[in-house]
Amino acid sequence: NAGVTQTPKFQVLKTGQSMTLQCAQDMNHEYMSWYRQDPGMGLRLIHYSVGAGITDQGEVPNGYNVSRSTTEDFPLRLLSAAPSQTSVYFCASSRGTGGHEQFFGPGTRLTVL
Amino acid sequence: GNSVTQMEGPVTLSEEAFLTINCTYTATGYPSLFWYVQYPGEGLQLLLKATKADDKGSNKGFEATYRKETTSFHLEKGSVQVSDSAVYFCAPGGSGGYQKVTFGTGTKLQVIP
């Protein structure tokens, strides 16, 4: 199993550009989520999904869109990048949110100029 | 919703010192509790977990006990090593219909020889 994969590993954008961060898992997990990690702020939840076709907002959803058309994939879209979105983004998946551990991808380091 | 408060870091210890990282939580119901570790340049990975009150999770010499009466899940290790230098995150699982998995700010540990 590859686990949770994320692409790209690094990305530089200009303000106003759009892009999609890819996330895929091969563990048949129902729950997937996106976090951003900033210095001194820990991990903050952007969006999450409890299954294909179902998504919901986390703590910091503004400026980001998600969709979940398949169990395996959970892409994160930046509609119009802003410098405040410079961060490290992590995707995670799990069988559920109760007693199940989260499996994390390696992260995408995004810089918005 | 479910949330945690962790002691602020960074924590700097000498090798073989005793480690405690405090974590208290608020939650709907009685969620499972988790500690994750993030080594430099990597995503988070599960360190240990406890699924009910009075359970003790343990792994790699680390321990944490689920204390319902004090809503705490403090992480301890009797003798830290340089290789334990990392950021540690406490997190409650989902519970009582609350599906979001949120993390605290994390506690950075630096162990010096």
Side-chain angles (χ1 to χ4, degrees):
Chain A
N1 286 350
V4 180
T5 58
Q6 291 184 239
T7 56
K9 289 189 183 298
F10 301 94
Q11 183 70 49
V12 179
L13 293 178
K14 295 181 179 179
T15 296
Q17 287 184 316
S18 63
M19 79 160 294
T20 299
L21 307 185
Q22 301 292 343
C23 174
Q25 52 91 8
D26 61 359
M27 297 173 282
N28 202 31
H29 286 167
E30 290 297 319
Y31 184 89
M32 296 186 73
S33 51
W34 276 102
Y35 297 87
R36 58 177 291 173
Q37 184 174 30
D38 303 293
M41 302 294 289
L43 261 66
R44 292 184 290 171
L45 182 65
I46 304 172
H47 285 286
Y48 68 101
S49 168
V50 298
I54 307 169
T55 63
D56 205 347
Q57 297 181 347
E59 304 167 89
V60 289
N62 292 342
Y64 307 94
N65 273 0
V66 292
S67 59
R68 183 96 179 270
S69 56
T70 67
T71 299
E72 294 77 22
D73 300 299
F74 191 45
L76 178 72
R77 296 183 190 83
L78 281 69
L79 308 173
S80 177
S84 60
Q85 294 178 305
T86 294
S87 188
V88 181
Y89 291 85
F90 289 100
C91 178
S93 75
S94 72
R95 288 178 60 189
T97 62
H100 303 291
E101 75 172 280
Q102 301 284 310
F103 290 84
F104 283 80
T108 294
R109 184 174 294 274
L110 175 68
T111 301
V112 183
L113 303 175
Chain B
N2 298 356
S3 63
V4 295
T5 300
Q6 280 184 242
M7 63 184 289
E8 291 195 15
V11 174
T12 302
L13 295 174
S14 297
E15 206 165 22
E16 299 183 2
F18 185 85
L19 168 71
T20 300
I21 299 178
N22 291 337
C23 170
T24 57
Y25 67 90
T26 58
T28 302
Y30 303 104
S32 295
L33 299 173
F34 301 83
W35 275 100
Y36 289 83
V37 59
Q38 182 182 32
Y39 298 105
E42 297 182 10
L44 280 68
Q45 57 186 275
L46 179 69
L47 179 61
L48 55 84
K49 74 175 189 180
T51 57
K52 61 183 187 298
D54 300 325
D55 266 4
K56 177 185 285 187
S58 62
N59 186 28
K60 300 182 180 180
F62 291 89
E63 294 182 340
T65 301
Y66 192 155
R67 302 286 188 198
K68 186 176 70 173
E69 62 277 8
T70 55
T71 62
S72 64
F73 193 52
H74 305 321
L75 183 68
E76 297 182 334
K77 186 175 185 181
S79 177
V80 294
Q81 305 300 312
V82 172
S83 57
D84 294 326
S85 298
V87 182
Y88 293 83
F89 292 89
C90 181
S95 63
Y98 186 75
Q99 300 275 25
K100 300 179 186 180
V101 179
T102 55
F103 291 77
T105 54
T107 302
K108 184 174 183 178
L109 170 66
Q110 182 178 15
V111 181
I112 54 178

